[in-house]
């Protein structure tokens, strides 16, 4: 910006203003979409590495557009986080996914676990949506539940976070560290928080068989988790050779396009049904 002088700066601020207007528009549209119940939940299976059985699934929010367009979830979640709307989304996803998985398990006589993503903001207790989210958790029945948080949440380590995570642990809810390996290097949170699952970030899985560094990192994470008695899910498994490597190195569970993409309710239910009988 500095070097390009006055015009460059002008261009920069114009671009920034355009971006902020776009985000503002996106935010307004999102408020309407939530009000009109337009968000949907997709489900991506998580399978046991040893035998391919569906043991769990991750709930992922989708915002369908007309004409089949799709807004990136990362994008609208980040706008929702910036502007304090993400708790509403997390509450919506939790309520809908709990109801659906409970019903599916009854219908198919299965015990598929559910995993939901949680924005760091949810673990601050003063927000109304956060309270409703916690109440929903406390009242849940039957469904085995994991919440996925990032290392950032644990590094910040507020009193609220501590309190909530320990309460969830007592209530039998598992805590998973999402995007494991991409955040902060310290590992002391393993002794401070009741972590039971780590999800190896897909950037590491992507490098398996092609990068020695990534391969070593994955091996090291698997050894570490094993020593700590923590379960491991590999994310973003896209090829059979990645899956084979992970099985050989005693990774517990696999998730990724190689197994199946995130799917709407009906398709996910059909997938679980097929998996059960095969
Ligand atoms: P995440 O939690 O790391 O979710 C995994 C992302 O990887 C998902 O993207 C999923 O569709 C994608 N994925 C799954 N398998 C593969 C694969 O084999 N290859 C590749 N390249 N990608 C794969 P998605 O659904 O677009 O979600 C993006 C992010 O948005 C999520 O990352 C999560 O951080 C956030 N998010 C999604 N749903 C929610 C939600 O309900 N609440 C909150 N707070 N965040 C959410
Ligand atoms: Ca996740
Ligand atoms: Ca992840
Ligand atoms: Ca992520």
């Amino acid at each position: 910006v500095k070097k390009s002088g006055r015009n460059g700066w002008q261009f920069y601020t114009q671009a920034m203003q355009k971006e902020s207007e776009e985000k503002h528009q996106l935010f307004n549209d999102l408020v309407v979409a939530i009000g009109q119940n337009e968000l949907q939940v997709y489900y991506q299976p998580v399978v046991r590495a040893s035998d391919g059985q569906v043991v769990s699934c991750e709930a992922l929010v989708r915002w369908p557009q007309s004409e089949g367009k799709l807004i990136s979830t990362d994008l609208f979640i980040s706008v929702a986080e910036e502007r304090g709307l993400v708790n509403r989304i997390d509450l919506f996803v939790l309520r809908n996914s709990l109801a659906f998985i409970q019903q599916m398990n009854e219908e198919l006589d299965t015990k598929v676990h559910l995993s939901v993503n949680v924005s760091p903001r949810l673990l601050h207790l003063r927000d109304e949506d956060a309270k409703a989210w916690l109440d929903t958790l406390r009242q849940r029945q039957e469904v085995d539940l994991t919440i996925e948080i990032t290392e950032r949440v644990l590094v910040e380590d507020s009193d609220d976070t501590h309190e909530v995570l320990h309460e969830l642990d007592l209530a039998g809810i598992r805590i998973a560290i999402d995007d494991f390996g991409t955040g902060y290097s310290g590992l002391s949170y393993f002794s401070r928080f009741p972590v039971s699952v780590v999800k190896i970030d897909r950037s590491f899985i992507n490098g398996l068989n092609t990068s020695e560094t990534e391969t070593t990192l994955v091996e090291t994470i698997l050894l570490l988790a094993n020593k700590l008695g923590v379960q491991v899910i590999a994310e973003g498994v896209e090829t059979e050779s990645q899956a084979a490597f992970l099985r050989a190195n005693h990774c517990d569970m696999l998730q990724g396009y190689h197994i199946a993409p995130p799917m709407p309710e009906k398709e996910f239910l059909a997938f679980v049904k097929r998996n059960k009988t095969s």
Side-chain angles (χ1 to χ4, degrees):
V1 175
K2 260 190 225 152
K3 267 188 194 155
S4 48
R6 233 187 125 207
N7 291 333
W9 174 252
Q10 239 169 33
F11 176 74
Y12 180 65
T13 50
Q14 272 169 15
M16 277 186 50
Q17 181 164 1
K18 186 158 177 281
E19 190 189 319
S20 112
E21 277 165 14
E22 279 169 6
K23 279 190 174 177
H24 191 69
Q25 185 60 48
L26 187 76
F27 174 78
N28 288 340
D29 292 347
L30 184 55
V31 172
V32 172
I34 292 171
Q36 296 182 343
N37 218 11
E38 283 172 17
L39 297 190
Q40 287 182 9
V41 184
Y42 276 36
Y43 299 88
Q44 187 174 33
V46 174
V47 300
R48 192 156 50 211
S50 57
D51 62 5
Q53 285 300 298
V54 179
V55 286
S56 182
C57 64
E58 178 173 3
L60 293 156
V61 70
R62 292 288 178 271
W63 182 10
Q65 306 291 297
S66 51
E67 301 132 31
K69 258 198 317 175
L70 209 70
I71 292 189
S72 127
T73 298
D74 269 323
L75 176 66
F76 77 81
I77 285 287
S78 79
V79 169
E81 271 180 355
E82 276 169 28
R83 306 189 186 212
L85 196 63
V86 76
N87 289 356
R88 178 117 351 135
I89 295 176
D90 286 348
L91 178 61
F92 167 87
V93 170
L94 180 68
R95 284 182 172 153
N96 280 271
S97 59
L98 273 176
F100 169 66
I101 295 300
Q102 175 151 349
Q103 197 191 342
M104 184 193 78
N105 280 337
E106 272 169 30
E107 194 175 320
L108 300 182
D109 192 26
T110 48
K111 283 202 166 116
V112 175
H113 297 199
L114 171 65
S115 200
V116 294
N117 292 284
V118 166
S119 153
R121 276 172 170 267
L122 252 183
L123 302 173
H124 297 275
L125 297 170
R126 275 160 285 277
D127 179 277
E128 283 305 314
D129 290 317
K131 283 184 199 147
W133 182 85
L134 272 174
D135 284 340
T136 309
L137 281 186
R138 292 190 184 104
Q139 287 156 23
R140 92 188 195 289
Q141 306 156 330
E142 291 163 59
V143 178
D144 273 304
L145 189 69
T146 301
I147 62 162
E148 302 190 1
I149 58 182
T150 55
E151 290 164 276
R152 179 156 62 105
V153 176
L154 302 180
V155 171
E156 283 168 9
D157 190 6
S158 75
D159 287 347
D160 278 359
T161 309
H162 228 265
E163 197 182 315
V164 174
L165 293 182
H166 282 280
E167 188 195 321
L168 297 184
D169 182 50
L170 287 177
I173 290 161
R174 269 181 282 254
I175 292 152
I177 302 185
D178 208 351
D179 306 342
F180 185 75
T182 60
Y184 299 78
S185 51
L187 293 170
S188 63
Y189 51 75
F190 277 107
S191 63
R192 287 184 286 122
F193 293 101
V195 173
S196 35
V197 182
V198 297
K199 300 189 76 171
I200 306 178
D201 191 69
R202 69 163 177 267
S203 59
F204 299 117
I205 304 305
N206 201 19
L208 285 179
N209 314 329
T210 58
S211 153
E212 215 164 298
T213 314
E214 249 82 73
T215 306
T216 306
L217 279 170
V218 173
E219 284 168 346
T220 308
I221 293 171
L222 286 164
L223 286 173
L224 173 80
N226 201 342
K227 288 262 185 206
L228 290 170
V230 169
Q231 287 204 308
V232 183
I233 300 176
E235 285 193 307
V237 179
E238 293 184 355
T239 67
E240 175 51 32
S241 68
Q242 290 165 352
F245 177 91
L246 291 160
R247 277 194 294 270
N249 285 276
H250 309 290
C251 182
D252 300 287
M253 287 168 275
L254 311 178
Q255 178 181 359
Y257 298 159
H258 179 61
I259 296 106
M263 295 171 272
E265 290 183 355
K266 258 196 191 157
E267 282 166 46
F268 177 70
L269 192 140
F271 182 90
V272 173
K273 208 168 171 179
R274 276 202 308 280
N275 180 271
K276 199 188 156 195
T277 51
S278 67

